[in-house]
Amino acid sequence: MKRLISALLLLLALASGMSAKTTYTREDSLTVVRLLSEAPGADPLWLARQLLGRPYVAHTLEVNDHEQLVVNTRQLDCTTLVETVAALAICVKEKKRDFCSFCQVLRVLRYRDGRIDGYPSRLHYFTDWIDDNTRMGLVREVSSEGKPFTAVQTVSVSFMSRHPEAYKALKAKPELVKVIARQEQQLTGRRYRYIPKASVKDTKALREAVKDGDILSITTTKQGLDIAHLGFAVWRQDGLHLLNASQLHKKVVEEPMTLGQYLAKHPSFTGIRVVRLNL
């Protein structure tokens, strides 16, 4: 029943047209329509690979004084890469090959209940993103009580309310900090199983748990955060790799090192949560 309700909500969103203002360029709309027309199927990894080499740029959603949908395929960070690819894959699955449909799916993915209602309606913490889109029927979190999901994350988020100076909208409207703090309180205490980084190696259990194109969410010990980085799973002969919008490489890349090696180089990274699109 929940899946049926979620599917109906998505269909309503797709049928609603451009209900909110959207910021984009002609290049963005042409890129979206081209990828939707060329995609051989709803394969997130194929779609993500079409964006390899795009520059890494942070804060591309913070371009308007009032919250509205932003489409930017020319510059990506780790979250906007995941959202863009997810929206493309869902559109291909639903046989929606037009830019308007893409925008509607992107809105559903990015905003709580698919509704834009100011800055706090955006799903800023990725745990919130996973839970909201699971409820909408668009994704599911992969986990189990056995190997390789042997660790448990107890979410404790507070970074945004403690560092409002780092966010353009919170600097401009300090009254929103209390709203964000309430959202953080609602997320704090939730528990999720994840794969600890010591277990992110080429094993039968990991290959059975993680599939090409899964969204990999890197858990962290950094105070106030739940997820430090995102990307897509890529299996190669030597093991699992990460396709991501990389701040280090300054572009969208498939990391040459394995994900296990990548995690080991970052002391604050603790492991991965695995999210799969319902395609």
Side-chain angles (χ1 to χ4, degrees):
M1 179 60 73
K2 286 184 179 179
R3 182 65 57 81
L4 177 61
I5 292 171
S6 299
L8 289 171
L9 286 171
L10 178 58
L11 288 172
L12 285 170
L14 288 170
S16 65
M18 288 279 191
S19 59
K21 290 183 178 180
T22 303
T23 298
Y24 65 96
T25 68
R26 184 172 183 270
E27 182 181 347
D28 295 318
S29 61
L30 290 174
T31 296
V32 166
V33 172
R34 176 178 60 80
L35 292 177
L36 290 175
S37 64
E38 293 178 355
D43 179 356
L45 189 51
W46 185 91
L47 289 161
R49 281 175 167 156
Q50 308 316 302
L51 299 172
L52 288 171
R54 300 291 169 106
Y56 172 94
V57 179
H59 310 299
T60 57
L61 304 185
E62 320 305 326
V63 294
N64 299 303
D65 293 334
H66 301 286
E67 189 71 19
Q68 61 182 251
L69 187 71
V70 174
V71 177
N72 188 339
T73 62
R74 297 157 287 111
Q75 304 163 318
L76 298 159
D77 63 23
C78 67
T79 302
T80 58
L81 171 66
V82 165
E83 290 179 334
T84 298
V85 169
L88 288 167
I90 291 168
C91 282
V92 173
K93 177 204 169 193
E94 297 294 332
K95 296 181 170 53
K96 301 288 185 178
R97 306 275 180 162
D98 60 284
F99 184 65
C100 181
S101 293
F102 168 84
C103 291
Q104 295 307 312
V105 175
L106 183 63
R107 174 171 57 80
V108 172
L109 286 165
R110 184 174 290 164
Y111 291 92
R112 188 170 288 101
D113 296 324
R115 298 185 181 94
I116 301 177
D117 185 18
Y119 182 75
S121 66
R122 199 193 308 167
L123 298 163
H124 297 285
Y125 289 100
F126 204 67
T127 291
D128 209 3
W129 192 99
I130 296 169
D131 288 355
D132 190 78
N133 284 298
T134 296
R135 187 175 57 78
M136 296 289 281
L138 301 180
V139 306
R140 64 189 185 277
E141 183 155 8
V142 179
S143 68
S144 68
E145 294 188 1
K147 293 181 179 180
F149 296 92
T150 56
V152 176
Q153 178 189 37
T154 301
V155 170
S156 178
V157 289
S158 59
F159 191 88
M160 292 182 69
S161 63
R162 289 179 180 271
H163 303 279
E165 70 283 354
Y167 300 90
K168 178 182 175 181
L170 299 183
K171 284 175 64 177
K173 297 182 177 180
E175 66 274 14
L176 296 180
V177 175
K178 290 183 178 180
V179 180
I180 295 294
R182 286 197 296 271
Q183 293 176 352
E184 292 170 340
Q185 290 168 7
Q186 291 170 354
L187 288 171
T188 293
R190 297 184 189 180
R191 292 165 61 84
Y192 305 88
R193 299 193 74 85
Y194 71 96
I195 304 171
K197 66 180 178 181
S199 298
V200 181
K201 48 193 175 183
D202 195 355
T203 63
K204 181 181 178 182
L206 190 68
R207 283 190 178 267
E208 288 177 348
V210 180
K211 305 301 180 186
D212 276 339
D214 282 348
I215 300 167
L216 302 181
S217 314
I218 298 177
T219 54
T220 180
T221 58
K222 188 168 182 177
Q223 187 174 12
L225 290 180
D226 54 340
I227 300 298
H229 193 48
L230 305 170
F232 290 97
V234 181
W235 278 105
R236 297 183 187 170
Q237 280 192 334
D238 64 342
L240 185 61
H241 290 251
L242 186 71
L243 191 160
N244 69 123
S246 168
Q247 189 173 11
L248 175 64
H249 296 288
K250 302 187 187 311
K251 60 184 178 180
V252 178
V253 298
E254 285 188 33
E255 290 291 345
M257 68 182 78
T258 67
L259 181 59
Q261 294 168 334
Y262 178 82
L263 295 174
K265 287 182 174 292
H266 296 81
S268 65
F269 292 175
T270 57
I272 56 171
R273 289 168 59 185
V274 182
V275 179
R276 188 166 298 157
L277 290 162
N278 288 329
L279 299 171

